[in-house]
């Protein structure tokens, strides 16, 4: 096989999703660099693959890189796999791919499962434009800042989330995007207890809050992008408006913000109504 780095996607739960090409490549390469060798060994055993394995992540020391480089110098090939899905998508590999390219070697993608794309394909939210956000910051303040920055984004938003944070995150989403914005939960995709559920954010938050089983496993959250009306409003103006509407009637809050920004009172008032 041609010498180079093969970036190989592996299943996100269901081994039936492993492609024949992925199996062939992992059998034929000289070395497999894996995020977690114990984890990947189970997959390789299942497919009867006994290619040598080494651990690799983006903070690996130079020894790991030297070993991989040694393969290329000998015109050999190396595969990169992560624990699940497509390497580099919220997974290690970015540094390695750049380094391999910069040293003049080829990088070949071997496509397959990716939780974000699988979730998007079944969520029932708009797919013409989407923005993959990966994991939100774990700290509350940083997470809220991130969400505020996304409030007027019109593309469908895709987040990865840890089960122990799902309730808090859904509550933060309701707070920032409003209760009626449509969203979807894609949990344990391709596995036995798969959940794909689309509903307004507040309904989704309630569904997850009331069912402990929905707070387990692996989760992708998707949120419809802002409507044209919402995206017209600057994030700072919108948050000021929302804050004022907590103290004043909606019409009065819209009038005050209109006076100070020059925006139309009706646009601001309609925006507040759209959050109800
Ligand atoms: N590289 C992977 C991919 O291509 O999707 C993602 C790796 S990231 C470290 C792991 C996160 O992906 C999980 O915390 C979860 O948010 C999401 N994920 C992975 N497998 C999933 C599944 N079967 N169902 C739902 N989400 C999944």
């Amino acid at each position: 096989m041609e010498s180079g780095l093969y970036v190989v996607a592996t299943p996100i739960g269901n081994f039936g999703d492993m492609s024949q090409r992925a199996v062939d490549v992992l059998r034929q390469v000289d070395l497999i660099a894996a995020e977690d060798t114990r984890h990947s060994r189970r997959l390789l055993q299942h497919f009867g693959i006994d290619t040598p394995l080494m651990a690799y992540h983006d903070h690996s020391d130079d020894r790991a890189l030297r070993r991989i480089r040694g393969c290329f110098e000998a015109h050999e090939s190396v595969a990169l796999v992560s624990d699940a899905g497509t390497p580099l998508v919220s997974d290690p590999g970015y540094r390695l791919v750049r380094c391999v390219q910069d040293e003049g070697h080829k990088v070949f993608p071997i496509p397959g499962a990716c939780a974000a794309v699988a979730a998007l394909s079944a969520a029932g939210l708009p797919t013409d434009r989407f923005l993959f956000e990966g994991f939100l910051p774990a700290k509350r303040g940083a997470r809220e800042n991130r969400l505020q920055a996304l409030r007027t984004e019109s593309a469908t938003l895709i987040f990865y989330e840890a089960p122990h944070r799902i309730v808090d995150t859904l509550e933060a989403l309701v707070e920032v995007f409003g209760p009626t914005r449509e969203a979807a939960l894609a949990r344990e995709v391709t596995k036995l207890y798969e959940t794909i559920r689309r509903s307004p954010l507040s309904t989704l938050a309630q569904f997850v809050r009331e069912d402990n089983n929905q707070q387990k496993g692996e989760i992708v959250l998707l949120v419809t992008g802002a409507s044209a009306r919402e995206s017209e409003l600057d994030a700072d103006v919108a948050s000021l408006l929302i804050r004022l509407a907590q103290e004043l009637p909606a019409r009065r809050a819209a009038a005050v913000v209109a006076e100070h920004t020059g925006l139309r009172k009706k646009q601001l008032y309609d925006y507040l109504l759209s959050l109800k």
Side-chain angles (χ1 to χ4, degrees):
M1 81 188 306
E2 197 175 342
S3 171
L5 178 71
Y6 292 76
V7 183
V8 181
T10 57
I12 54 169
N14 187 327
F15 278 8
D17 294 332
M18 183 81 165
S19 76
Q20 186 58 52
R21 189 163 173 235
V23 173
D24 293 344
V25 165
L26 293 176
R27 272 207 188 110
Q28 288 170 31
V29 290
D30 300 283
L31 178 66
I32 299 174
E35 180 182 7
D36 177 338
T37 51
R38 270 202 328 198
H39 187 101
S40 294
R41 198 161 279 126
R42 279 196 291 278
L43 177 86
L44 299 181
Q45 267 165 4
H46 179 88
F47 290 100
I49 298 167
D50 58 6
T51 307
L53 257 183
M54 67 170 276
Y56 176 83
H57 47 81
D58 281 334
H59 308 292
S60 286
D61 57 18
D62 287 347
R63 256 184 321 171
L65 271 181
R66 272 204 300 277
R67 182 161 175 206
I68 293 172
R69 268 199 197 104
C71 286
F72 296 135
E73 279 156 18
H75 303 288
E76 293 179 345
S77 45
V78 178
L80 172 71
V81 294
S82 60
D83 286 355
T86 302
L88 280 82
V89 178
S90 291
D91 264 344
Y94 169 70
R95 186 173 153 230
L96 180 62
V97 164
R98 285 178 68 90
C99 170
V100 168
Q101 286 172 334
D102 289 349
E103 292 182 5
H105 306 291
K106 281 197 173 173
V107 177
F108 305 97
I110 310 295
C114 173
V117 175
L120 182 69
S121 72
L125 299 184
T127 55
D128 50 341
R129 290 175 56 242
F130 58 89
L131 179 61
F132 175 65
E133 273 291 316
F135 290 96
L136 283 163
K139 292 205 171 125
R140 192 174 291 251
R143 186 178 59 189
E144 277 180 23
N145 288 343
R146 188 78 213 112
L147 290 179
Q148 282 296 349
L150 292 169
R151 214 189 44 75
T152 55
E153 171 56 56
S154 57
T156 294
L157 303 169
I158 306 180
F159 302 100
Y160 284 167
E161 193 48 285
H164 64 276
R165 277 202 289 267
I166 187 67
V167 171
D168 278 359
T169 297
L170 278 164
E171 278 165 9
L173 290 171
V174 172
E175 184 77 15
V176 176
F177 297 128
T180 56
R181 186 88 78 94
E182 204 172 44
L185 175 85
R187 196 183 65 85
E188 293 289 270
V189 174
T190 76
K191 302 191 211 174
L192 186 58
Y193 297 108
E194 180 179 87
T195 308
I196 308 277
R197 192 175 180 104
R198 170 170 60 86
S199 57
L201 265 171
S202 58
T203 316
L204 196 62
Q206 185 180 7
F207 167 69
V208 172
R209 211 173 26 241
E210 289 176 356
D211 181 353
N212 285 341
N213 288 325
Q214 301 303 328
Q215 302 166 26
K216 294 177 186 158
E218 297 194 283
I219 299 169
V220 182
L221 266 178
L222 305 96
V223 182
T224 310
S227 63
R229 194 191 309 143
E230 282 172 295
S231 24
E232 273 167 25
L233 272 198
D234 173 86
D236 289 343
V237 172
S239 58
L240 174 66
L241 182 61
I242 292 170
R243 181 71 194 89
L244 271 180
Q246 289 165 353
E247 310 288 333
L248 300 171
R251 272 185 202 289
R252 185 76 200 113
V256 172
V257 175
E259 204 179 301
H260 284 81
T261 59
L263 291 168
R264 283 181 309 117
K265 194 166 88 181
K266 179 162 181 347
Q267 179 195 3
L268 298 166
Y269 180 64
D270 284 349
Y271 172 73
L272 284 175
L273 290 188
S274 75
L275 298 183
K276 288 249 160 72

